[in-house]
Amino acid sequence: MQYLVTGAAGFIGSHVAHRLLAAGHAVVGLDNLNDYYDPALKRARLARLTPSAGFRFAQIELTDHAAVSDLFARGGFRRVIHLAAQAGVRYSLANPRAYTDSNVSGFLNLLEACRRHPVEHLVFASSSSVYGLNRNIPFTVSDPADHPASLYAATKKAGELMAHAYSHLYRLPVTGLRFFTVYGPWGRPDMAPWLFTKAVLAGQPIRVFNHGHLRRDFTYIDDIVSGVIKICDVIPAADDDWDAARPDPATSSAPFRLHNIGNNQPVELSRLIAALESALGQKAIRENLPMQPGDVLETAADIDSLTAATGFRPTVSVEEGMRKFCAWYREYGGI
């Protein structure tokens, strides 16, 4: 099967493409190789994919409407896994336009291409950040998500609304996945596992926000990839029981679904740090700091809908996941 994976040089995208290629599928990987973090890491991820005869790389900006349209005209894609985005809550405070460019304008170009060159299924990445100020724990996809705490979250929520509009107007089968704090080998250098590991090995303090009293649904990359690929085979249809008088945000009279994808086992930041110390055999020097703007106290995924649809069940504990990440980092972390 011919897949398009956007963000193929990114953390999640490169893992998804790798798994698809291993299963014998053909993959076109799209990425712009921007410098949000060191492009050398992105090229190293791509180097794992390029030896496969089934892989072709397209360096394209999603905001380039003509280039995206041309790629789809030549591609013959049956399924599209859209993982490209401008990520990072804190970066959105300093560079807000990067988020509207990529996550709104870029996604619009992709949606237009999917409707003009119809695909069997579009699966796209949303984020647990859309829950914003919601305090119902665990977060369920039927909860309102109307009070974002950052521009990043607002652009991901906008993406969900845009995707629903295209699904409604053009009967485009679309599934959105709200990702919860993904980590593991080949991860992002701006996230806590990488930042903490780098600091501990260098004997430098780690910045622990809200004095460590944050809970996150840390989800290991292998579990995430399994869920993404499984949901690709579950093509949504219109929900005949959907009630416009009592609308469920997670489903629709259009062929549209939303699911959480996470570990369903949130842990305190202090437990992640303890797992890191155990994996490295070194103690962390902690610099306790207050809560950061745009951050939330806790994320926790209710994954019942994804489990019902695919059988998805995460299996990797934070202790096992951090051992695997640290082993990878010791070998490759100097990139």
Side-chain angles (χ1 to χ4, degrees):
M1 190 178 298
Q2 178 88 326
Y3 282 81
L4 172 66
V5 177
T6 73
F11 172 33
I12 301 173
S14 64
H15 278 276
V16 168
H18 194 269
R19 185 82 64 88
L20 289 170
L21 291 166
H25 298 293
V27 175
V28 173
L30 179 154
D31 207 289
N32 66 357
L33 298 178
N34 69 23
D35 61 357
Y36 169 60
Y37 55 82
D38 190 350
L41 175 60
K42 300 177 182 184
R43 294 190 187 97
R45 293 183 186 129
L46 281 177
R48 302 172 66 226
L49 305 175
T50 50
S52 172
F55 182 74
R56 180 167 65 88
F57 178 60
Q59 185 170 347
I60 290 175
E61 291 278 356
L62 278 174
T63 52
D64 186 338
H65 172 67
V68 173
S69 297
D70 181 62
L71 180 69
F72 271 76
R74 294 182 289 107
F77 306 122
R78 285 181 59 188
R79 296 180 183 176
V80 174
I81 303 176
H82 177 52
L83 302 170
Q86 179 57 62
V89 169
R90 296 179 188 112
Y91 188 67
S92 70
L93 302 178
N95 294 276
R97 285 179 177 80
Y99 291 77
T100 55
D101 288 348
S102 178
N103 302 355
V104 179
S105 297
F107 191 30
L108 175 60
N109 286 339
L110 188 85
L111 288 167
E112 272 289 289
C114 285
R115 74 106 165 176
R116 293 184 182 278
H117 306 278
V119 300
E120 185 177 273
H121 194 187
L122 166 63
V123 175
F124 74 95
S126 185
S127 168
S128 62
S129 295
V130 301
Y131 291 106
L133 302 182
N134 178 25
R135 289 294 176 265
N136 295 327
I137 299 295
F139 299 152
T140 74
V141 283
S142 295
D143 285 339
D146 300 322
H147 296 87
S150 67
L151 181 69
Y152 167 66
T155 61
K156 298 305 280 186
K157 176 64 175 178
E160 294 181 355
L161 299 175
M162 292 161 59
H164 181 268
Y166 269 71
S167 182
H168 169 73
L169 289 169
Y170 307 113
R171 314 316 291 176
L172 174 66
V174 180
T175 299
L177 296 174
R178 292 173 172 172
F179 288 90
F180 280 70
T181 318
V182 189
Y183 74 101
W186 299 101
R188 283 194 359 232
D190 61 325
M191 294 186 69
W194 185 300
L195 292 170
F196 289 179
T197 301
K198 181 178 181 180
V200 170
L201 289 174
Q204 297 173 346
I206 61 173
R207 303 172 75 198
V208 182
F209 293 103
N210 204 40
H211 304 272
H213 302 305
L214 299 171
R215 288 170 59 84
R216 292 290 181 267
D217 210 334
F218 291 105
T219 314
Y220 190 68
I221 184 63
D222 289 355
D223 286 332
I224 286 288
V225 171
S226 294
V228 171
I229 291 177
K230 285 179 178 180
I231 200 63
C232 285
D233 291 330
V234 183
I235 300 172
D239 182 355
D240 294 333
D241 296 325
W242 191 79
D243 185 354
R246 293 185 297 276
D248 180 351
T251 183
S252 177
S253 57
F256 176 87
R257 294 291 186 280
L258 287 173
H259 300 286
N260 289 332
I261 182 166
N263 196 43
N264 195 32
Q265 296 288 334
V267 299
E268 279 230 349
L269 190 59
S270 58
R271 180 175 163 190
L272 177 84
I273 296 169
L276 170 65
E277 291 172 330
S278 176
L280 294 178
Q282 293 180 232
K283 297 297 278 186
I285 305 166
R286 303 187 189 201
E287 179 187 357
N288 288 311
L289 296 169
M291 194 82 161
Q292 283 215 124
D295 220 341
V296 296
L297 282 170
E298 181 172 3
T299 65
D302 180 328
I303 59 172
D304 286 354
S305 68
L306 186 60
T307 300
T310 67
F312 171 75
R313 292 190 184 279
T315 61
V316 181
S317 70
V318 71
E319 287 77 18
E320 180 184 356
M322 286 306 296
R323 282 196 300 272
K324 291 180 177 180
F325 173 76
C326 290
W328 170 83
Y329 186 90
R330 285 186 184 279
E331 186 174 355
Y332 296 103
I335 293 172

